[in-house]
Amino acid sequence: MIFESKNFGTLNIEDKNIVLFVDGLIGFCELKKVIIITPQEDTPFRWLQSLDNPEIVFAIINPLLFFPDYKIKITKADIDLIEAKTLEDIQIYTIVTIPDNFSKLTANLLGPIIINANKCKAKQIVVDNSSYSTKHLLLSDSR
Amino acid sequence: MLIITRKVGEIISIGDSIEVKILDIKGRQVRIGIDAPNNVQIYRKEIYLKILEENKKAANILPEHLHEISLIWDNKKE
């Protein structure tokens, strides 16, 4: 399909690359179809572009690149929902918030996204672990 | 809102498949046990709302942001 995105211009998208958020993203239940865009630059960021609303795009990262100790519990129901057969089927991303001060990028570790790329199904899950927040600084000065 | 008074150990049934049991009351805290089918999502509401709020903030990326954060990454690597 041909898709006119706000940020990336005209995209020619193959059906096999369309990922379905079965329940929509939290707060965006009408947004179900997305694609994940890998930029050409060498960067850990990926862009999660909504196909239901051309204006909506999220920056996402593999949280383990920044928070190696990050651990979440995924329920059987969620594993079934994205039709994952093994843990290897599941990719984990977290959404990055870009504030006015770009150096204060934060990752939302409370609401990670789990994706089964084989089945193109995804879900944003709610982590029940009080040591995580929705705003973990991505780049601290000590890095 | 339906309001029901319950004692410790008592249960509320919601439909055929959901049960909410009052396990313990200590001061201002109540421990609740919930039995529900796998596909029923149960959240602490304040956590859900935090994620919702953060999603809304994260959704409005401008084209220049995309470029800008890639640059930040490049700088940090060096």
Side-chain angles (χ1 to χ4, degrees), chain A residues 8-104:
Chain A
F8 307 103
T10 306
L11 301 171
N12 191 357
I13 298 163
E14 291 184 55
D15 283 351
K16 67 177 169 63
N17 293 330
I18 297 176
V19 175
L20 179 72
F21 274 84
V22 186
D23 298 329
L25 266 187
I26 293 173
F28 295 86
C29 53
E30 75 287 5
L31 293 188
K32 300 214 158 165
K33 286 184 182 167
V34 302
I35 50 156
I36 295 169
I37 300 171
T38 304
Q40 282 170 348
E41 302 92 356
D42 172 26
T43 162
F45 297 99
R46 302 285 178 267
W47 314 123
L48 188 87
Q49 168 71 56
S50 163
L51 298 180
D52 297 300
N53 182 339
E55 296 202 358
I56 293 188
V57 54
F58 294 91
I60 57 173
I61 49 150
N62 171 355
L64 294 174
L65 295 177
F66 295 85
F67 311 99
D69 299 330
Y70 184 57
K71 278 201 184 71
I72 56 171
K73 216 183 253 176
I74 305 174
T75 64
K76 177 76 169 52
D78 288 338
I79 292 170
D80 289 346
L81 190 80
I82 62 169
E83 296 175 30
K85 294 218 165 56
T86 66
L87 280 183
E88 284 71 44
D89 287 342
I90 302 176
Q91 298 168 0
I92 298 173
Y93 289 98
T94 51
I95 297 178
V96 175
T97 304
I98 305 173
D100 293 337
N101 176 354
F102 286 128
S103 64
K104 299 261 189 275

Side-chain angles (χ1 to χ4, degrees), chain A residues 7-8 23 26-27 42 44 47 57-59 66 77 95 97 102 105 110 123-124 126 128 134-135 139, chain B residues 38 41 43-44 47-48 50-52 54-59 61 63 65-66 68-69 72-73 76-77:
Chain A
N7 287 329
F8 307 103
D23 298 329
I26 293 173
D42 172 26
W47 314 123
V57 54
F58 294 91
F66 295 85
I95 297 178
T97 304
F102 286 128
L105 297 170
L110 265 190
K123 177 173 176 164
Q124 185 173 31
V126 174
D128 200 11
T134 54
K135 289 184 191 296
L139 305 166
Chain B
N38 271 344
Q41 317 221 358
Y43 308 124
R44 292 170 212 268
I47 297 179
Y48 184 86
K50 267 189 203 165
I51 294 171
L52 191 155
E54 201 60 28
N55 276 355
K56 302 255 175 197
K57 276 185 203 154
I61 301 185
H65 289 171
L66 301 180
E68 201 75 32
I69 63 175
I72 287 173
W73 176 252
K76 284 284 167 181
K77 271 190 310 187

Side-chain angles (χ1 to χ4, degrees), chain B residues 24-31:
Chain B
D24 196 12
I25 303 173
K26 263 191 205 139
R28 291 173 54 80
Q29 280 197 320
V30 183
R31 283 178 69 230

